[in-house]
Amino acid sequence: MIVAIDGPAGSGKSTVASTLASRLGFHYLDTGAMYRALTWIARRDGTDLADGPALAALAVAHPLSFGLDGHLEMDGEDVTAPIRDAEIDRLVPTVAGHPEVREVMRQRQRALAVAGDSVIEGRDIGTVVAPDAEVKVFLLADESERARRRTQDRPGVPAETLAADLRSRDERDAVNTRPAEDAVLLDTTVLSVDDVVERIAELVERVR
Ligand code: DC
């Protein structure tokens, strides 16, 4: 079974999706991490972020490895922390915006999804990557709450900078971030992680 969890930055996807996956005993796939890791290696290697075909070739040559302990590795380096950097936040929409890059990533995501029951989080999972997912959820939250969550995730970066970055990222990611017609919309603004996980677990139980 596939549980697709999509939504904008700060909507609570990662925490909810990983908590749900461990509760259900499902695989957890963070597709945003794949775009982030590609951005990280492109910067390291000096690849032009405007060059879609070059970035797609880089993605083919350097798949992100998902460790069982939750650690992420690329090209032999532990990138778990560096890919959450505020600078990667700013650059990743450019990389994720190239159709050539999305094609490589989507193929890989589909290949990973057939490995078994999975919770997959991203932006286009319910619409493009796994349109047949048994459960589709699109998470929403007020902009001020999403900005507040970002401040907690990125200590040391001024709140105004993070709020401005979030707005800019929302605009640039918008084209690939939309709910599937059959997705359940869940506003997480005033819900706890446990509440959101509980609601999605109920949706899973209904189709099991
Ligand atoms: O969810 P996130 O912030 O980790 O996503 C990082 C970036 O990757 C963000 O700019 C949106 C993009 N992304 C995407 O375009 N499609 C996905 N399935 C997942 C993430």
Side-chain angles (χ1 to χ4, degrees), residues 16-204:
V16 164
S18 59
T19 308
L20 179 73
S22 40
R23 174 168 154 177
L24 296 172
F26 282 21
H27 297 290
Y28 164 54
L29 179 59
D30 174 1
T31 62
M34 296 167 70
Y35 292 100
R36 287 173 176 276
L38 176 61
T39 307
W40 174 86
I41 201 164
R43 281 206 65 232
R44 190 200 68 177
D45 290 3
T47 308
D48 180 1
L49 299 191
D51 187 342
L55 290 166
L58 196 63
V60 169
H62 298 285
L64 177 65
S65 305
F66 294 89
L68 287 176
D69 57 359
H71 275 79
L72 304 171
E73 236 185 58
M74 178 161 270
D75 209 20
E77 281 198 52
D78 185 337
V79 295
T80 319
I83 64 167
R84 307 280 161 203
D85 203 83
E87 186 173 6
I88 299 289
D89 285 345
R90 281 192 285 274
L91 299 175
V92 63
T94 305
V95 171
H98 293 291
E100 301 88 344
V101 167
R102 301 197 73 79
E103 200 42 50
V104 173
M105 294 306 195
R106 285 167 170 167
Q107 272 182 28
R108 189 166 294 149
Q109 290 155 16
R110 290 188 187 115
L112 290 167
V114 297
D117 291 331
S118 311
V119 178
I120 311 181
E121 66 142 302
R123 310 292 172 120
D124 56 349
I125 309 305
T127 48
V128 183
V129 174
D132 297 331
E134 285 83 350
V135 175
K136 296 183 190 179
V137 177
F138 192 88
L139 300 181
L140 305 155
D142 286 354
E143 191 181 298
S144 57
E145 173 60 15
R146 294 195 290 121
R148 193 192 65 77
R149 291 175 187 168
R150 268 293 111 126
T151 321
Q152 286 185 329
D153 293 346
R154 306 282 188 271
V157 184
E160 312 76 60
T161 309
L162 286 173
D165 283 356
L166 189 70
R167 263 194 296 277
S168 141
R169 208 140 79 84
D170 276 355
E171 278 171 27
R172 296 161 71 207
D173 287 332
V175 61
N176 292 306
T177 308
R178 60 193 169 81
E181 276 177 17
D182 52 349
V184 173
L185 302 187
L186 249 179
D187 188 332
T188 69
T189 308
V190 297
L191 294 178
S192 68
V193 170
D194 285 347
D195 287 339
V196 181
V197 169
E198 187 56 40
R199 291 194 193 190
I200 305 175
E202 282 167 18
L203 297 173
V204 171

